[in-house]
């Protein structure tokens, strides 16, 4: 019977591999928006295919460690309102920069400015821009979306 002897080099490699595996298993994904695949990604709220980036939005799902995608800013607001995440400042929300079509960057939804009157995928009508570019703030936009979507809590509830 032959016996295999573990050398120092072998032990060091084994220890390094085990440490790397343990760190990978314990690490959590960093919250951040994902790259949207137009025509393939589906809205978390309405299940429609995301077709226009300028009206898209995202939120972070901490349980799954991934971004949720929405085809319309109104879908984002409705979803996070119905799921109790709208008032949680620790729940990241992102909106596409609809002011510059060439940029297509992501903005913090709570810090962005908004304008109404657009023909958006689900008809909520809002697009986002960097803070101060457009006249409507996050709170006013949220109230308008809630009113339009009829999900604003009433005194009877």
């Amino acid at each position: 019977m032959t016996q295999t002897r573990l050398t120092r080099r072998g032990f060091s490699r084994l220890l390094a591999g085990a440490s790397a595996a343990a760190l990978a298993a314990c690490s959590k994904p960093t919250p951040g928006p994902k790259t949207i695949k137009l025509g393939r990604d589906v809205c978390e709220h309405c299940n429609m295919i995301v077709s226009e980036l300028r009206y898209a939005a995202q939120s972070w799902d901490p349980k799954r460690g991934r971004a949720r995608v929405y085809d319309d800013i109104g879908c984002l607001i409705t979803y996070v309102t119905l799921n109790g995440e709208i008032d949680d400042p620790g729940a990241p929300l992102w909106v596409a920069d609809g002011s510059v079509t060439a940029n297509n960057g992501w903005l913090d939804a709570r810090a962005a400015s908004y304008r109404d009157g657009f023909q958006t995928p689900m008809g909520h009508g809002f697009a986002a821009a960097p803070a101060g570019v457009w006249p409507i703030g996050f709170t006013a936009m949220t109230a308008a979306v809630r009113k339009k979507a009829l999900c604003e809590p009433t005194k009877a509830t």
Side-chain angles (χ1 to χ4, degrees):
M1 172 161 67
T2 58
Q3 204 174 30
T4 305
R5 185 173 169 182
L6 188 61
T7 64
R8 282 186 188 192
R9 185 180 306 177
F11 179 75
S12 295
R13 288 181 182 166
L14 180 66
L15 185 61
S19 297
L23 285 174
C26 293
S27 66
K28 291 183 178 181
T30 303
K34 71 176 222 156
T35 301
I36 292 180
K37 298 175 193 119
L38 293 177
R40 291 182 59 197
D41 281 335
V42 176
C43 178
E44 191 80 25
H45 179 67
C46 70
N47 295 315
M48 298 293 287
I49 293 174
V50 179
S51 59
E52 289 189 69
L53 187 59
R54 69 184 277 175
Y55 306 119
Q58 298 187 48
S59 67
W60 186 252
D61 183 344
K63 292 178 186 168
R64 293 184 181 159
R66 67 170 180 86
R68 297 183 204 115
V69 175
Y70 307 91
D71 67 338
D72 190 306
I73 293 168
C75 285
L76 163 74
I77 298 305
T78 304
Y79 184 92
V80 298
T81 297
L82 293 173
N83 288 289
E85 300 171 12
I86 190 74
D87 295 321
D88 180 0
L93 308 175
W94 303 280
V95 288
D97 183 352
S99 65
V100 182
T101 55
N103 180 357
N104 292 332
W106 292 101
L107 306 168
D108 175 345
R110 290 179 175 92
S113 61
Y114 299 88
R115 195 176 91 191
D116 197 0
F118 293 94
Q119 287 195 317
T120 63
M122 294 308 294
H124 290 95
F126 285 94
V133 172
W134 286 338
I136 302 171
F138 180 75
T139 304
M141 179 274 298
T142 299
V145 167
R146 286 175 169 175
K147 185 175 180 181
K148 194 178 282 188
L150 300 175
C151 64
E152 182 68 43
T154 64
K155 292 180 182 180
T157 55

